[in-house]
Amino acid sequence: MFTDTHTHMNAEQFDEDRDEAIKRAYDAGVTRIVNIGFNRETIPTSIALAEKYPFVYSAVGWHPQDAKDMRPGDLEWIEELCKHEKVVAIGEIGLDYYWDTSPKDVQNRVFREQIRLARKLGMPIVIHNRDAHRDVVEVLKEERAAEVGGIMHCFSGSWETARQCLDMNFYISFGGPVTFKNAKQPKEVLAQVPIDRLLIETDAPYLTPHPYRGKRNETAYVRLVAETAAEIRGLSLEELAQVTTENAVRLLGLK
Ligand SMILES: [Zn+2]
């Protein structure tokens, strides 16, 4: 009944127990998983996971932190992989001014190239935005990302930023941080997002929800995000699960 729209179950943190962790997710009621491959190493392993499990899908894109490693031919590689029947979006792509591991101008160029590719292919995009709200919105506008829309992953911005993204046909996705007691702004934004644009995710193995904060995250914990979201929206857990799954199915064409 739950859909985790953003996870990295192909990450090395799951090398010891990947199949068990995916089974735990299934047993916890997660019926659809979108796994994200974001660089030369993780794109092939993400697709392999989607090929192994009928309920796992993949997004493929070049992460802003790895922007400096993108070489000629990599964009064409991503374009080719987008023909794969289990690849449902381009991402995660965007800007990361927190880690700043790639120069901002390189991040910006790689972000724009992939939005153009998404428009060419008619694929939705998954946006990574860390401490770059203003520039992300500006690039999305300038590159006419509204033509394809997509997902603002683990949204951490203000309502004003959320509103601009909603206007450009984006869905707003919330992860573990919204479960933290002091997460005032994410909770306020979650309360206001139109219900037909709301998504949930884990970003496992990162951003672990309360009460497991500090431990490894995994897709089964999307239920904890769903519980928080249901409480804020005044819905039952089942209603919240159903509407967010319907949203993900509609946007990404999941089965
Ligand atoms: Zn991610």
Side-chain angles (χ1 to χ4, degrees), residues 6-8 36 38 63 92 128 153 201 203-204 206:
H6 193 117
T7 189
H8 305 277
I36 314 284
F38 57 80
H63 199 285
E92 52 190 303
H128 174 103
H153 132 66
E201 62 170 80
D203 202 21
Y206 319 105

Side-chain angles (χ1 to χ4, degrees), residues 20-89:
E20 292 90 332
I22 289 173
K23 185 173 186 308
R24 278 197 293 279
Y26 193 78
D27 291 345
V30 182
T31 54
R32 292 169 187 82
I33 295 173
V34 182
N35 197 85
I36 314 284
F38 57 80
N39 59 20
R40 201 176 321 282
E41 290 73 39
T42 60
I43 286 171
T45 55
S46 181
I47 290 184
L49 209 59
E51 286 174 341
K52 183 170 181 183
Y53 291 95
F55 73 117
V56 177
Y57 298 82
S58 181
V60 296
W62 214 271
H63 199 285
Q65 280 179 253
D66 298 302
K68 65 179 186 312
D69 302 325
M70 202 175 192
R71 295 193 298 242
D74 285 335
L75 199 66
E76 291 74 13
W77 180 47
I78 291 170
E79 179 170 1
E80 193 58 32
L81 293 173
C82 283
K83 294 177 188 157
H84 192 294
E85 60 171 0
K86 300 298 287 290
V87 172
V88 295

Side-chain angles (χ1 to χ4, degrees), residues 78 184 199:
I78 291 170
K184 195 162 166 280
L199 297 172

